[in-house]
Amino acid sequence: MAHWKEEYSAALAARDRREKANIAIYDAYTQLADRTGRIAAAASNPQSPVPTEGQQVPTDTSGSRSSKQTSGAQDPSLHETLLATRADLSEAQRSRSELQGRLARVTAELEKLRKRNTHDSRRIHAYGGEVAHLQLRLKDRDEELRGKAKLLDDFQDELASLNLQLNMAEERTSRLERENQELVDRWMARMGREAEAMNAASQFS
């Protein structure tokens, strides 16, 4: 969750840097607007000269003739100043349009980032729930595997015990079969000797 906060703070810091970087343009535009207002006022009243910054308006002490001469002397300078002011104003308007375009793009990008952040936050929340669910299933599966492993160990132990018992039973069976065969052989030998004795006895009688 801290990632989107850092991105948002970085976007705000970048915006502040851009605005501070353009303060000079804003100040120049304000000064141009002030100069334009003064020039427009002077143009509406041609008899009064246009004062520049730090310059006082000269006092007319020579009558109407001197005023006409002063007004005539100021006309070329006033025209050049108007042209320069219009050029500066056009440049300021162009810069303002560019700044507005950049501001619109940055605002749109910020809105996209906010929407993306909201979407990502929802996805992170959903993934967090899925991770918790999978972790629970994994824990259950681990317990199941441990149970099955224990059953397998018990079965293997029981199988080993049965194999041991089977081997012992087979050995006992083999031993009993040998003893039985020996008894049968001994009985057959005894019966053969008795039969021979009976045959021999019958021959002498």
Side-chain angles (χ1 to χ4, degrees), residues 56-62 66:
Q56 300 295 330
V57 179
T59 304
D60 187 7
T61 57
S62 60
S66 177

Side-chain angles (χ1 to χ4, degrees), residues 63-97:
S64 62
R65 182 178 179 181
S66 177
S67 299
K68 290 180 180 179
Q69 291 176 354
T70 303
S71 175
Q74 290 291 335
D75 285 342
S77 176
L78 178 61
H79 181 68
E80 292 177 358
T81 303
L82 280 174
L83 293 178
T85 302
R86 287 174 180 172
D88 293 340
L89 183 60
S90 298
E91 180 65 21
Q93 289 287 353
R94 186 186 63 80
S95 299
R96 180 175 179 273
S97 299

